[in-house]
Amino acid sequence: MTGHFSFSFGGDDIEDDGQSGTTPVPVPSEGASSGPTAVAGGAGASAFPVQGKPLLPPIRHDLDQMMSRLPSKIAYGLLSVDLDDGTTIQVPRRELWDVRVQLMAEEDQNDPASETAPGLGEHDVKTGIYEGGFKSWESSVDLVKVLASENTAPALNRKPFVSVELGCGTALPSLALFQWALAGRQSSGAKLPLVLTLADYNPSVLFLVTLPNFILAWALQQRRGNPVLDVASPPDGEMELELTSDVFQAFKDTLSTNQISLLFLSGAWSPEFVQLISSSVPSPLADSTGDVCTLVMGAETIYSPFALESFAYTLLDILEQDRRSHPGGQSTAIVAAKRLYFGVGGSLDDFVDKMESLGTSVETLREETQGVRRGVVRCLLP
């Protein structure tokens, strides 16, 4: 795996092609991270080995620093996800063409983030460089549907809650959690700690799509009657948002008022990566041994045997670390993926076999047979 490859799923995907509006448009799998497999006794090979190229170390990114790198305005579209109960959730996503514009501008300024620009939109993955995180992928939509059917929304406001999305990319599942949490706290007044951890191999993905999507989700949910957002939104209905210092401050104020923490982590999967996740959870939640609900998520993170192996050991290590940290809590993992990744080698069945061989129980939550076959499974420690 030293070159570029495309999953070539065509119209079954929901790839952002630069169109605006609420109609889903075709794209591939939530940006899979890359990194070493050496976790909890795993194999020694790295997930996406590139000869002579070191893997990125795990790093936590400061929210203010990330905001400082955003442009003065971003354009977005809305992805409509039809849930099983007949309702619809609309998830905002920064437009892919808008990301391209920023990348080209940064390339002209020799910005390191521009390294992904040449292949953006041409390849689903550029091994060791870009792991698909600028695009949304169909299994991430399946994961949103499962989160809704599992009644995750009420749980966000009943007890302290920690979520970790591995290979988050555009972060559709975490965005759904964020929107549900804000809506629930607005109606009930509950303000229990909520930690949303967003992890992707590529830091540029976190800077350019993950964080902007969270700001957009907040702005759309809070815009009515908010004078700051009235000024930042175009009066003619264009789907753009100005990113002023007042907008950033209002966004951070909402997070603080509602006891919501956003953690952004980049780098390769490794024991150090798992330790960084654990050490980044803010106090007092990190010190609690009580009733904390922890949810680990991944969509399309097993598209190759290398990725599958690394993801499985990392997932297991996070669940075991959480059990040690919160012995009185509840931890679970939900993973969405295609049944088979043609030409790449990963498969959901192989992942299930791997997790069961590591001692976890695996339950199928959803099967999709239309188009490319997909599934969603839950993994639990015994």
Side-chain angles (χ1 to χ4, degrees), residues 170-192:
T170 58
L172 301 186
S174 294
L175 288 169
L177 296 180
F178 183 55
Q179 289 177 284
W180 290 331
L182 286 177
R185 288 161 196 236
Q186 203 168 43
S187 61
S188 69
K191 291 182 174 58
L192 293 169

Side-chain angles (χ1 to χ4, degrees), residues 59-63 66 168 171 196-200 205-207 209-212 214 251 255 261-266 276 280:
I59 296 174
R60 178 180 170 185
H61 300 276
D62 177 74
L63 181 59
M66 294 178 71
C168 64
L196 301 175
T197 304
L198 296 312
D200 198 278
V205 168
L206 299 175
F207 282 81
V209 294
T210 312
L211 174 58
F214 272 89
F251 175 65
L255 296 178
S261 300
L262 300 181
L263 305 178
F264 297 90
L265 279 60
S266 67
L276 181 61
S280 297

Side-chain angles (χ1 to χ4, degrees), residues 44 154 208 275 311 319 322 338 378:
L208 295 170
Q275 183 57 43
F311 179 75
L319 292 176
D322 182 72
K338 293 180 175 65
R378 173 166 39 217

